[in-house]
Each structure stands twice: as C-alpha cells, then as structure tokens.
Amino acid sequence: MTTSREQHPLPADGRDDVVARLERENAQLRNAVDSHATVDQAIGVLAAVCRLEPAAGFEVLREVSQRTNIKLHTVADAVLDWALKQKPLPLAVDRDLRAALRRHSHAVDDLDQPG
C-alpha cells in the first residue's frame, strides 16, 4: 500500500486550523529536543562524577524519576543545577539518587562533591 504525497490545496477556512496545529506540534518538538539535551547532559554528569556508563546513568535518572514521581527532565535539571551551580539536590531526589546509585555503582560518596 502506498500513500500519496500529492499536496491538496486547503480551503481558506481550514488553513488557520492547520497552521495552529503545526505551531503546536513545532512547540512540542522543540520542548522534546530541549528535554532530551538536558537528560543527556545529566547522564554526562553522572558518568563523570560517579563513573557510570551512559546506559546506567539513564537508568539511574529514570529510577529517580519514577520513585519520586518527578518528570525525568526535572530530575535532570536538578542534577545539572547541583553540578553546575553547586545547589543542593531536592531531598527526595538526593535520597532516591543515592539509592539508585547504590544499585548501579559504588561511587555514591562522589555525590558529596560536585565538580
């Protein structure tokens, strides 16, 4: 089965709906790219500070996100703030991050000293 890529002109009254839908999709895609970049950077922090493989770093972030019921990109933001600005991690994130690191690594003590 093939699909047609032929463009069909839209009626004038339907263009506004299409443009609005495309603008929403574009904004969603931009947010997804930004969130993905933040998560990748946080994985890099965990890889460097805790000597984790990137796949294990992602698993640690995912576990913290699930256990704290905090979105993955928000957990990643907290890790980046901790590493770059030397801000303390939120208590729930700190607790569950340490627990996840114990399951995946022996470098939990490295969390006490960012950078």
Side-chain angles (χ1 to χ4, degrees), residues 73-93:
H73 71 88
T74 304
V75 171
D77 278 333
V79 169
L80 291 177
D81 283 347
W82 167 79
L84 297 173
K85 300 172 188 168
Q86 297 186 351
K87 291 172 62 175
L89 290 166
L91 292 177
V93 171

Side-chain angles (χ1 to χ4, degrees), residues 7 37 48 56-57 63 68 72 74 76 83-84 86 102 107:
Q7 293 188 357
E63 287 178 23
T68 60
L72 181 64
T74 304
L84 297 173
Q86 297 186 351
R102 274 188 214 95

